Amino acid sequence: MCGIVGAIAERNIAPVLLESLKKLEYRGYDSAGLATIENKTIVIKKECGKIDEVDQKVNLKDQKGNIGLAHTRWSTCGSVTKENAHPHQDCTKNIAIVHNGIIENHSELRAQLTHKGHTFTSDTDTEVIAHLIEENNQGNIVQAIAKTLKQLEGSYALGIIEADNPHQLIAARKESPLIIGLGEKENFIASDAPAILKQTNKVIYLDNEEIAVLTIDEVEIFDLDGNKKEKEIETIEWDSEKAGKQAYEHFMLKEIHEQSSTIAKTLEQNIEDNIDLKEVKRIIIVACGTSWHAGLVGEFMIEELAKIPVEVEYASEFRYRDPIIEENTLIVPISQSGETADTLAALKEARTKGAKILSIVNVKGSSIERESDAVLYTKAGPEIGVASTKAFTAQLTVLYLLTLHLGKLKNTLPKDQIANRVRDLRKIPLQIEQAIEETQHIKKLAKLFYKKHHALYLGRGINYPIALEGALKLKEVSYIHAEGYPAAEMKHGPIALIDEQMPVIAIATKDDRTYKKVISNIEEVTARGGVVIAIATKGDEEIAKKVDHVIYIPENSYILTPLLATIPLQLFAYYIATLRNHDPDKPKNLAKSVTVE
Ligand code: F6R
C-alpha cells in the first residue's frame, strides 16, 4: 500500500529514484510524485496515473538535486487527485514528506492545526504530519519529528527532506515497512528491497518507532526519545536481475513460469531445526487472500497425514473476536509479504494469549518474520505481480514439508511412507514444467471465453481451495465475476445460475475419493446446458467425452494435486486478462502488500 523511496548521494538522484519507484509500483499506482532539493528549494512534481504516465506528463527524471523522495500511491485517505498525490508539504514549504500507512487521528490533528492557522492543500492524513512537524519545529528537525510521531495514532513509514538542511534525509516507521540501503557515498530508504537492490544489497531493517538520519556518509538510528541505537547490517541475497521482468511480457507470466525452480528451492529446506513441535495439539492458521487459500490446503494435508486438528481463519476476523487459544496451540500465520496488517495483528493477538508462533513468509526481514518464534521460508524470491502465483505454490510446498515433519513427530507416518511422499514432492518441479506446456491450448480457451461476464470454479476435497484460488485469480486480473465453490454445494444454490453464458471450470483429477463425485457434479452442469472446462489427469480420455474442453495436468499423489491444478488456472486468468487489455501486474484498486486494515 503505497511505495516510498528516498536517497541522498553525490550524483543527481531523480533518475535513480524513478527507476527504484517503478520496482515498487506493485504497492499502488493511482498517482506518483517526486521531490528533490535544488539550491535550498524543494521542487515537487506529481500527477495522477501510473508512474510511466506521470513521468510522461511531468518529466520526473529531469529534476535536479542529490537528495530526494519519491512515492507511488494506493489511496486510503483522500480520493485520487493530483493534490492528494505525495510528496506533501507544510505551510512554509520547508519540508517535503512521503508516507505509507494510515494516521487514525488525522481529523482531530487537522482541526487543531487549522485552528492554529495552518492551511491545507489536500485531504490526506500525510499532509497533517507535514504541518505538525512544522508546528513542533524549534530549530531541530529530528526532535520535531520525534515529538510529532508521539502524537500520531496509526501506522507510518515516512521519508522527510528539509530545504534548510539538504545534507540529511530522515526516515521513520511504525507498523509499515521501511528499509535503509547502505551504498558507497550514498544511502537509501525504501518500502521494500527490490527497489534498491540495483544500488546495494546491504540493508538495515528499521523497527517500530525508530528514526533514521541519513547523510551521504552515514546512517544513524534513534528512538523517539533521541537515544542512539546500534543496528545490525544485513545482506540481502535476492539479486536485482531476478527481480526484473527479463523476456516476459509481464511479471505475472514470468512468475508462473518460475514455479518449477521456486518449488525446487523451497523443498530443499530442513524443518527439523526450527521449533519444537512435539507437544502441539491444535493448529490455527491465520492469513488473508491467496495465503488463506494455501492455509485451507494445509488444513487438509495436516489433518489427513499428521492427525492434528487445524482451523484456518481469515486474519481480519480472528483479530476482532475473542479466539480460544489453549495450551499447546500453535499459530501459523502465512504471508508472502510478511507485512499484511491483519495477519500481523492476528499474530500479536494470539501471542498475548500465550500461543507459539510459527510463520510461513516469503520476504526476509519482514514484520511477521520478526514477530514470530520461528519461521519457515517460502523461497519464491521477489514476487512483483500483484496477483500471487509462485508464492502460493511455495506456501503449499512448505505446508507439505511441515505436514511430513509433524507426521514423523506424531508417529502418524512411517519412515518409508515419508520417503515415498518426499519422492512424490520432488517430481513436482518437472511436472509443473509439463503443466506449463499446455499454454497454447490454454491460450485458445482464453480466446473462447474472454468476453464472458461470469465464471464458476468447482473443486472437492483438497482441490476445493484451488477452485477458490482459480476464481480469485480470474477476478483480480480480468475483472470477470467468478466464484469458487465446493462442487457438491453447487446444487444448493449456484446451479440456478448455470447456462451457456457461464463457463464452469471443474477440477476433476483422477483419484479414488472425489473423482466420481465431481464427474456427477459435472453432469449436473452439462444437463442444464452449462459449458465445462475440466482440469483432469493426463491419460483420462473418458472425461473428454463428458465435458466441452479438457486441460490435462500430470499425475501425482492426490494430496499434491493442488500444486499442479493451480498452474492452468493461473495461466487461464493471465491470458484472459491480457485479451481484455488489462495489465495483470497492476490490477485496478489492488495493492500487493496490504499494510492497512
Ligand atoms: C491475491 C493476493 C492477495 C494476497 C493477500 C495476502 O492474488 O495476492 O490476496 O494473498 O493480500 O498477502 P500476503 O500473503 O502478503 O499476506
Side-chain angles (χ1 to χ4, degrees):
M1 323 243 83
C2 299
I4 70 179
V5 282
I8 179 158
E10 283 182 329
R11 54 182 164 155
N12 213 27
I13 210 62
V16 181
L17 289 176
L18 186 62
E19 193 185 351
S20 298
L21 194 66
K22 285 183 188 168
K23 302 256 164 52
L24 293 177
E25 201 166 23
Y26 67 87
R27 302 179 69 88
Y29 30 80
D30 56 44
S31 49
L34 196 146
T36 51
I37 304 180
E38 281 182 54
N39 303 325
K40 284 206 158 191
T41 305
I42 292 177
V43 180
I44 294 182
K45 286 184 191 164
K46 56 186 186 180
E47 261 300 344
C48 295
K50 293 182 179 164
I51 299 170
D52 277 335
E53 294 161 2
V54 175
D55 187 34
Q56 266 169 19
K57 279 188 215 164
V58 296
N59 207 349
L60 294 170
K61 64 183 150 310
D62 265 14
Q63 260 167 260
K64 298 281 172 286
N66 56 11
I67 175 168
L69 299 168
H71 186 273
T72 182
R73 182 167 187 244
W74 188 86
S75 57
T76 48
C77 184
S79 53
V80 181
T81 61
K82 179 181 170 182
E83 290 69 33
N84 289 339
H86 299 215
H88 288 284
Q89 292 201 273
D90 59 329
C91 299
T92 62
K93 312 277 183 234
N94 181 40
I95 61 171
I97 169 170
V98 289
H99 169 218
N100 167 31
I102 290 187
I103 303 306
E104 287 157 6
N105 58 340
H106 71 96
S107 305
E108 299 92 289
L109 292 170
R110 179 184 280 257
Q112 289 161 19
L113 288 161
T114 308
H115 188 69
K116 287 183 175 158
H118 290 261
T119 311
F120 287 83
T121 56
S122 80
D123 305 321
T124 62
D125 49 353
T126 308
E127 196 188 350
V128 172
I129 307 175
H131 289 277
L132 197 53
I133 295 171
E134 177 191 1
E135 185 64 29
N136 288 330
N137 197 353
Q138 307 285 329
N140 181 327
I141 188 86
V142 180
Q143 277 172 11
I145 291 169
K147 186 171 175 194
T148 300
L149 299 182
K150 287 182 182 172
Q151 292 169 271
L152 302 180
E153 287 166 21
S155 58
Y156 54 78
L158 295 170
I160 302 160
I161 53 174
E162 191 193 14
D164 280 350
N165 189 351
H167 306 294
Q168 66 177 22
L169 186 155
I170 301 168
R173 80 156 268 201
K174 184 182 164 201
E175 307 296 352
S176 294
L178 197 67
I179 60 169
I180 314 285
L182 307 171
E184 282 294 315
K185 285 259 169 215
E186 51 189 25
N187 289 307
F188 304 84
I189 61 165
S191 300
D192 201 354
I196 50 168
L197 274 181
K198 203 168 165 193
Q199 318 303 333
T200 179
N201 65 348
K202 299 268 177 291
V203 300
I204 294 173
Y205 292 99
L206 213 55
D207 279 308
N208 279 341
E209 303 197 318
E210 285 181 343
I211 297 178
V213 180
L214 289 73
T215 61
I216 285 178
D217 299 307
E218 64 173 349
V219 174
E220 290 183 305
I221 315 277
F222 302 93
D223 67 17
L224 297 192
D225 294 319
N227 303 308
K228 198 164 168 195
K229 295 180 82 171
E230 289 308 317
K231 301 279 292 188
E232 217 175 296
I233 298 174
E234 300 191 34
T235 305
I236 297 184
E237 282 152 24
W238 292 354
D239 72 49
S240 64
E241 183 53 26
K242 291 227 172 75
K245 232 190 301 181
Q246 292 154 5
Y248 292 94
E249 201 173 333
H250 295 103
F251 281 109
M252 182 174 178
L253 189 60
K254 173 182 172 246
E255 288 161 3
I256 292 172
H257 279 253
E258 275 176 342
Q259 290 176 102
S260 71
S261 72
T262 50
I263 290 175
K265 258 189 222 144
T266 302
L267 63 79
E268 287 313 328
Q269 65 189 301
N270 191 353
I271 305 265
E272 325 248 321
D273 318 329
N274 264 277
I275 191 171
D276 184 7
L277 299 172
K278 272 198 240 43
E279 304 305 322
V280 171
K281 295 220 160 48
R282 179 174 165 235
I283 294 175
I284 304 177
I285 295 175
V286 290
C288 302
T290 289
S291 298
W292 183 77
H293 296 156
L296 292 177
V297 176
E299 173 184 26
F300 198 103
M301 289 172 169
I302 296 168
E303 292 201 338
E304 166 114 0
L305 299 182
K307 308 293 177 206
I308 300 171
V310 180
E311 289 144 62
V312 186
E313 299 250 12
Y314 282 119
S316 53
E317 291 296 317
F318 180 84
R319 62 182 291 194
Y320 283 120
R321 50 191 191 79
D322 194 11
I324 297 168
I325 296 177
E326 300 136 327
E327 213 185 329
N328 298 326
T329 298
L330 178 73
I331 301 292
V332 179
I334 306 177
S335 176
Q336 186 286 128
S337 61
E339 298 294 346
T340 300
D342 284 321
T343 310
L344 185 59
L347 177 165
K348 288 180 180 167
E349 168 70 20
R351 232 221 332 247
T352 57
K353 298 194 165 195
K356 278 260 175 296
I357 317 286
L358 172 63
S359 293
I360 299 176
V361 299
N362 194 43
V363 177
K364 282 201 174 170
S366 59
S367 304
I368 291 178
E369 174 196 314
R370 285 179 298 146
E371 295 280 345
S372 303
D373 297 299
V375 183
L376 299 174
Y377 294 102
T378 46
K379 308 227 163 139
E383 191 181 62
I384 310 295
V386 163
S388 185
T389 52
K390 61 176 181 169
F392 177 65
T393 47
Q395 287 165 348
L396 300 186
T397 308
V398 169
L399 284 161
Y400 194 60
L401 292 174
L402 177 63
T403 301
L404 299 184
H405 179 61
L406 289 167
K408 190 160 107 189
L409 287 179
K410 298 279 175 190
N411 285 323
T412 57
L413 285 175
K415 249 191 181 165
D416 57 336
Q417 223 200 90
I418 293 180
N420 286 340
R421 289 185 178 280
V422 169
R423 216 167 297 137
D424 286 345
L425 182 60
R426 287 187 183 281
K427 287 186 206 155
I428 292 286
L430 180 63
Q431 291 186 321
I432 285 191
E433 282 176 21
Q434 291 162 350
I436 287 178
E437 281 166 20
E438 289 283 301
T439 292
Q440 290 313 321
H441 176 46
I442 295 169
K443 258 189 191 174
K444 280 190 196 142
L445 291 178
K447 278 193 185 136
L448 290 179
F449 291 102
Y450 79 98
K451 289 189 177 152
K452 300 286 180 207
H453 298 293
H454 306 277
L456 184 62
Y457 285 70
L458 301 178
R460 281 185 95 135
I462 200 161
N463 282 312
Y464 156 54
I466 302 308
L468 296 179
E469 175 58 10
L472 180 65
K473 284 291 91 85
L474 189 71
K475 260 187 279 211
E476 62 184 333
V477 297
S478 76
Y479 316 148
I480 292 175
H481 165 236
E483 286 192 52
Y485 248 83
E489 271 295 305
M490 182 193 58
K491 49 187 172 301
H492 299 284
I495 199 162
L497 300 170
I498 300 293
D499 63 22
E500 65 283 0
Q501 292 308 322
M502 169 107 143
V504 174
I505 296 97
I507 303 162
T509 49
K510 201 110 201 210
D511 62 72
D512 48 16
R513 287 192 226 187
T514 57
Y515 177 69
K516 286 198 179 129
K517 306 280 173 201
V518 177
I519 295 294
S520 307
N521 301 137
I522 286 175
E523 281 164 349
E524 289 157 10
V525 174
T526 50
R528 286 160 182 85
V531 180
V532 177
I533 304 172
I535 309 296
T537 310
K538 201 158 193 141
D540 181 3
E541 306 294 339
E542 278 308 297
I543 199 165
K545 298 176 192 157
K546 296 188 161 54
V547 300
D548 302 272
H549 309 279
V550 189
I551 305 172
Y552 287 111
I553 57 171
E555 186 169 8
N556 202 318
S557 63
Y558 172 65
I559 210 151
L560 288 171
T561 48
L563 281 148
L564 298 168
T566 304
I567 307 298
L569 302 184
Q570 294 171 343
L571 286 167
F572 188 61
Y574 170 78
Y575 285 111
I576 292 216
T578 52
L579 283 164
R580 288 166 74 95
N581 286 324
H582 299 314
D583 177 353
D585 288 343
K586 298 171 200 139
K588 71 173 156 56
N589 303 337
L590 287 175
K592 180 118 194 106
S593 182
V594 185
T595 52
V596 295
E597 276 185 48

